[in-house]
Amino acid sequence: MKTEGSHGKVDLRKVQALLTGVVAAAMATILLLAVFALIVWKMEPSVGAENVGVICVSVLSCFAGGFFCGKKNDTKGFLWGLAVGVLYFALLILLRIGSGQDVGAHLFSLFTTFLYCAGSGMLGGMVS
């Protein structure tokens, strides 16, 4: 089903695949964080190892969402995966703001988070 927009054609299936990819990434995050919490609880790793684990969870989640979205869209999977990563990052920012965290205090950290979310989503879309 296609609809006409003011700037051209928009394929609703592609937009739906994009949103489904973001939801898949969020669900993967929940699942992976639950597993990671169990590992942290049993092994009691250092704070540095915990931070690396949280980054790995985000990277794997964005990769999975990008892969899923890239599979659903026949062309330009890398761009769709990139879009999944960017939307996932936007969701993280909204969650941080909603929880009362000062987002502007750690701009370099936010920038690196954006890069690994966007990059892993793009990679997922590329290999799909």
Side-chain angles (χ1 to χ4, degrees):
M1 173 165 58
K2 292 185 180 188
T3 60
E4 274 300 318
S6 62
H7 297 291
K9 294 181 181 181
V10 175
D11 190 349
L12 292 180
R13 291 175 298 199
K14 292 182 185 252
V15 174
Q16 182 181 14
L18 174 65
L19 295 176
T20 306
V22 174
V23 169
M27 291 174 57
T29 300
I30 293 169
L31 177 66
L32 291 171
L33 280 178
V35 170
F36 183 64
L38 182 64
I39 292 169
V40 167
W41 178 56
K42 291 291 185 181
M43 298 182 68
E44 300 178 15
S46 68
V47 175
E50 289 176 7
N51 291 339
V52 169
V54 170
I55 290 170
C56 288
V57 165
S58 294
V59 166
L60 290 172
S61 297
C62 286
F63 180 87
F67 183 84
F68 183 78
C69 187
K71 277 287 191 196
K72 295 286 184 181
N73 293 309
D74 298 333
T75 60
K76 300 182 183 173
F78 68 99
L79 287 177
W80 290 105
L82 175 66
V84 168
V86 170
L87 287 176
Y88 180 89
F89 174 76
L91 183 63
L92 286 180
I93 293 297
L94 288 175
L95 288 173
R96 286 184 180 184
I97 291 171
S99 68
Q101 291 183 10
D102 184 16
V103 177
H106 307 304
L107 290 178
F108 183 74
S109 175
L110 282 177
F111 180 68
T112 57
T113 302
F114 173 78
L115 288 179
Y116 67 69
C117 287
S120 60
M122 186 188 309
L123 183 63
M126 286 169 58
V127 299
S128 64

